[in-house]
Amino acid sequence: MSLDIEYKLMPLSARLKQGTSAEHSRLDKRIMKLSPFADRQRFSRFVRMQVRLHAVTENLYNSSELQSLLPSLAKGDRLAKVLADSQDLGVSEVELAQDIFAAKAVPKASKLGALGWVYTQEGSSMGGAILFKIAKEKLGLSEEFGARHLAGHAEGRARYWRKVTGDLDAIQLDDIQMQEVIAGAIDAFNFVYQSVDELYKDLDSKAAC
């Protein structure tokens, strides 16, 4: 079987993983270089990045049109938790307003592009287990203070992720439509990368080794 045919037979979730691997790796390396868990100040910048991402996707999680495609979507919105964490960590109203403004400046995604944004956000939640453990051990945070948004889903991370990817894979799309979903996911990764750059620019030169 040729690689082209094998690729076309991949379910949407597998294509998304493959199609965003470069952006995912680039973002992970950038964030880790900035040592967001070195102290609570640095971590608060990480939480502000999460505010921006979740503020962009809030309407997607509450969209009846998208919920018809991804039935599990209504249970995934974590904006309220991120906002509570930002308050715990002393993010000011001015800073929060800046983050909401940055989110509102993002062009509205198409329906298919929105699926890519949701995939990116839910993927970060799945990978949050390690980050949650670090936040607890190094910063003394918890699911009740400062790190609510990193805590696992009530159904369990893996189980909920399987539901999300299962819903994605059940959507009937042609190659061009799948590429539109992947493009949306790449847009999400790039937005987060840009947000990290903006939020850490004054600390960048002080990044811990």
Side-chain angles (χ1 to χ4, degrees):
M1 182 182 296
S2 71
L3 291 177
D4 185 56
I5 294 176
E6 184 177 355
Y7 176 76
K8 289 184 176 182
L9 291 176
M10 283 182 179
L12 178 56
S13 61
R15 285 209 197 186
L16 279 161
K17 182 177 181 179
Q18 179 173 310
T20 60
S21 60
E23 288 75 18
H24 194 171
S25 176
R26 173 174 173 258
L27 177 61
D28 281 351
K29 289 177 181 178
R30 179 64 175 141
I31 290 175
M32 289 301 102
K33 181 181 178 182
L34 292 165
S35 302
F37 295 92
D39 53 50
R40 288 190 178 186
Q41 181 192 20
R42 286 183 179 276
F43 184 69
S44 72
R45 310 294 180 98
F46 178 86
V47 173
R48 288 185 62 192
M49 174 271 286
Q50 294 284 0
V51 169
R52 296 186 181 201
L53 175 59
H54 284 72
V56 172
T57 60
E58 180 187 22
N59 290 336
L60 307 183
Y61 279 82
N62 295 314
S63 165
S64 57
E65 184 177 28
L66 287 182
Q67 286 177 11
S68 68
L69 296 175
L70 302 174
S72 57
L73 202 60
K75 301 178 182 180
D77 183 22
R78 299 192 305 273
L79 179 59
K81 292 182 178 181
V82 180
L83 290 173
D85 288 338
S86 68
Q87 185 175 23
D88 292 340
L89 294 166
V91 175
S92 71
E93 292 185 7
V94 172
E95 291 170 329
L96 186 59
Q98 292 172 348
D99 298 332
I100 298 301
F101 179 82
K104 288 184 176 180
V106 175
K108 183 179 179 180
S110 67
K111 181 174 72 173
L112 294 178
L115 293 175
W117 277 82
V118 170
Y119 167 85
T120 299
Q121 182 166 309
E122 289 303 325
S124 70
S125 176
M126 181 62 184
I130 295 176
L131 301 184
F132 184 58
K133 182 178 180 181
I134 296 173
K136 290 179 71 175
E137 294 178 351
K138 295 192 67 174
L139 302 177
L141 305 177
S142 70
E143 55 272 272
E144 296 177 350
F145 184 90
R148 296 172 181 83
H149 75 284
L150 291 177
H153 194 276
E155 297 182 22
R157 291 183 198 271
R159 183 177 181 183
Y160 179 66
W161 178 241
R162 285 194 296 269
K163 283 188 175 182
V164 173
T165 56
D167 288 344
L168 283 168
D169 294 342
I171 303 171
Q172 297 299 310
L173 301 174
D174 59 30
D175 286 343
I176 294 176
Q177 290 172 322
M178 284 193 176
Q179 288 304 315
E180 187 174 344
V181 179
I182 294 170
I186 290 174
D187 285 343
F189 274 111
N190 289 338
F191 171 72
V192 173
Y193 192 97
Q194 179 184 358
S195 296
V196 168
D197 270 358
E198 292 176 358
L199 292 166
Y200 281 91
K201 61 183 177 182
D202 62 317
L203 297 177
D204 201 357
S205 62
K206 304 173 186 178
C209 298

